[in-house]
Amino acid sequence: MKAALKIPLGLLVLLGVGIGVTVYSGHLLGNKVPKPMPVARAKETTAPSLALSPAPPRFDVPVYYRDKVVALMFHNIDPTYQGRGTITPETFEADVKALVEKGYNVITAEQLVSFLEGKTQVPPNAVVITFDDGYKGTYLYAFPVLEKYRVPATVFLIGSFINHHPNFLTWEEVREMARSGLVTFGGHTYDLHKGVPIDPHTTSPATVARIYDFQMGKSETAEAYHARVLEDSLKEQELFRQEIGKTSPFFAYPYGAYTPELDRALKEAGYSYFFTTLHGANCYGQDPHHIFRINAGAPWITPEKLLQEIRAAALGTSGPRKFPPNYIPKWTQKPIKSSQSHRQPKVRRG
């Protein structure tokens, strides 16, 4: 009889120990049973502690160029619409896959400017990925690819469009990408990515133009222009502070247009590094505050063509190049139709 009771009592002891461990573990976990982590979409686990780090640089690769960085400019990614600045999700993934498989090292914008300032070196075949405007496709189609291949990117936002335009990002999507550890953000103006009249017959980008007043028959003063651009830039930076917790040192010129007056206002607002649309590679010794880029986001640019363009830009840049003090592309100067003479027409987005 005593022997027969040993087994049940032993079982009871084991059960008691098991229950005790479970209760203690539940106490440590706040009485919550941990759930399996979802694996279908990596974006669903983007808490700061789970942030990804970019893939480490590779040095066991064919070297196409050294001590240079080629910055790539994309705009929209969409499976249905085919515009001059839009590519399909399949094309973008093929681009990134080709970069990784062919030995290109995708680095961050922070690494790029640190290199230009002589603080760090960059790995061979270095490239930077950037997106202008902040289209919804950046989150829906580009972000999963960035996570899949662990490559970083910088996205330049038109602040007034975020949360207010169905084809553009929301702040929640911006925060999710920021938490991933792969995506940083820069300014593309709050609400100056448009054309404004500079005389009765012509429009020009609002960031570099003195707006013409049809009623007064004259353009705004230099002081009024500076105050307008500075106010817009400060508003964008304040949005960054409120929504993602910090301002940004990076800015991409709308339409690629810039002047010393624009740069002065941007610097007052806290921007330090300006991404242009001027074609070329970046190397130590150039102006570290202005960045060359090449267009990578046109539908006719295949992955093979993109790799050719990158190598051509790098090999075609033998040393540091100077930036022109002013750059306003001619195509941004648009005629005003007679029916538009008393309203502010817009230059097409780019």
Side-chain angles (χ1 to χ4, degrees), residues 14-240:
L14 289 174
L15 285 172
V17 172
I19 291 169
V21 171
T22 303
V23 170
Y24 181 66
S25 300
H27 176 70
L28 291 178
L29 295 171
N31 295 320
K32 294 181 180 179
V33 178
K35 297 180 179 180
M37 188 169 294
V39 296
R41 295 175 67 240
K43 294 195 294 294
E44 294 174 0
T45 58
T46 51
S49 60
L50 297 176
L52 299 172
S53 58
R58 296 167 56 196
F59 296 90
D60 57 336
V61 294
V63 176
Y64 310 115
Y65 55 89
R66 293 183 185 275
D67 302 320
K68 298 174 187 176
V69 183
V70 179
L72 311 180
M73 177 178 63
F74 293 92
H75 282 81
N76 197 14
I77 300 177
D78 191 278
T80 58
Y81 174 69
Q82 291 295 305
R84 290 178 58 85
T86 302
I87 60 174
T88 65
E90 293 77 13
T91 297
F92 179 71
E93 178 160 9
D95 288 342
V96 174
K97 182 179 180 181
L99 289 172
V100 172
E101 289 185 346
K102 297 298 182 181
Y104 288 86
N105 284 297
V106 184
I107 65 173
T108 66
E110 291 87 350
Q111 289 173 293
L112 165 59
V113 298
S114 181
F115 160 69
L116 294 179
E117 292 177 335
K119 299 175 182 176
T120 59
Q121 294 183 325
V122 291
N125 314 327
V127 297
V128 167
I129 294 176
T130 69
F131 294 88
D132 284 9
D133 302 330
Y135 286 101
K136 177 75 74 174
T138 309
Y139 173 79
L140 293 178
Y141 307 113
F143 185 38
V145 174
L146 300 178
E147 289 184 307
K148 179 178 179 179
Y149 293 93
R150 288 177 58 197
V151 297
T154 298
V155 182
F156 299 104
L157 304 177
I158 303 173
S160 63
F161 280 25
I162 309 304
N163 263 25
H164 296 102
H165 196 295
N167 293 331
F168 287 76
L169 296 167
T170 66
W171 283 113
E172 182 53 42
E173 291 164 346
V174 169
R175 285 190 289 271
E176 183 177 337
M177 288 191 285
R179 289 194 301 263
S180 74
L182 294 175
V183 184
T184 55
F185 294 90
H188 207 35
T189 78
Y190 175 76
D191 194 30
L192 293 183
H193 198 309
K194 58 189 176 183
V196 295
I198 55 175
D199 59 42
H201 311 290
T202 315
T203 67
S204 190
T207 47
V208 295
R210 295 190 189 180
I211 299 176
Y212 181 79
D213 188 318
F214 286 95
Q215 293 183 342
M216 299 294 292
K218 61 181 181 180
S219 299
E220 66 184 338
T221 63
E223 292 76 14
Y225 161 80
H226 181 81
R228 173 171 58 85
V229 175
L230 178 58
E231 180 183 12
D232 180 273
S233 303
L234 289 171
K235 192 170 185 178
E236 177 93 326
Q237 290 281 40
E238 181 59 26
L239 264 182
F240 286 145

Side-chain angles (χ1 to χ4, degrees), residues 259-297:
T259 63
E261 292 77 17
L262 172 61
D263 285 358
R264 183 163 65 91
L266 293 172
K267 289 175 181 177
E268 286 184 38
Y271 293 113
S272 301
Y273 308 103
F274 311 123
F275 286 71
T276 73
T277 59
L278 295 171
H279 188 277
N282 300 277
C283 57
Y284 177 70
Q286 74 180 51
D287 175 4
H289 303 288
H290 291 81
I291 313 297
F292 291 105
R293 290 192 292 177
I294 70 171
N295 184 23

Side-chain angles (χ1 to χ4, degrees), residues 253 257-263 278 290 322-328:
Y253 297 121
Y258 68 87
T259 63
E261 292 77 17
L262 172 61
D263 285 358
L278 295 171
H290 291 81
K322 291 185 177 180
F323 288 83
N326 298 270
Y327 181 68
I328 304 176

